[in-house]
Amino acid sequence: MMLAGYIYAALIVVLVCFQFCMALGMPWGHLANGGRWRGTLPPYMRVAAIGQAGILVFMGIAVATRAGLLQGWPGWTFWVALGVTILTTIANWATPSPAERRLWGPVTLVLSITVITIAIGGSTAVSSG
């Protein structure tokens, strides 16, 4: 189960870096949000990318805690992270953007597999909620 936690955490780091790069102006709009924007995201979506990065960090911490890699994070947050991960996977496979589907579909599928593995394996960490 710890291996699944490490895989999940590593992929979350990649996703957070991607979001920050888009917030800083990388022209990767076609790889996110259904491919709605080509090139650099508009300013309000660049701010949203920072918010998405923050959500991803919290998800990574929640899953890492459940996997036994960290301690002290409320246990209920794992279930929120699991739900968001699965919904994100569905969205990435259903996106109208072929580039987004090819890139993030497999990544989020691995995230879903690892988070489900952790859910089935139970908690190895002492959780406070």
Side-chain angles (χ1 to χ4, degrees):
M1 191 165 65
M2 288 184 78
L3 177 60
Y6 282 120
I7 293 169
Y8 189 95
L11 290 175
I12 288 294
V13 168
V14 169
L15 290 167
V16 167
C17 290
F18 174 78
Q19 293 295 336
F20 275 122
C21 286
M22 286 200 314
L24 293 172
M26 292 302 293
W28 299 337
H30 66 289
L31 296 173
N33 306 301
R36 183 171 177 189
W37 295 276
R38 293 274 170 220
T40 302
L41 296 176
Y44 71 96
M45 287 305 297
R46 292 169 75 175
V47 172
I50 294 169
Q52 289 172 328
I55 292 167
L56 289 164
V57 168
F58 285 111
M59 290 170 57
I61 293 169
V63 173
T65 300
R66 173 76 177 202
L69 306 177
L70 299 173
Q71 292 182 358
W73 199 258
W76 64 266
T77 60
F78 169 79
W79 301 105
V80 174
L82 182 140
V84 172
T85 300
I86 291 170
L87 291 174
T88 301
T89 301
I90 293 166
N92 276 299
W93 284 102
T95 180
S97 167
E100 184 179 4
R101 194 169 41 250
R102 281 191 304 271
L103 177 61
W104 300 122
V107 171
T108 55
L109 179 62
V110 171
L111 285 170
S112 285
I113 291 167
T114 57
V115 78
I116 290 168
T117 299
I118 294 165
I120 292 169
S123 176
T124 61
V126 176
S127 116
S128 59

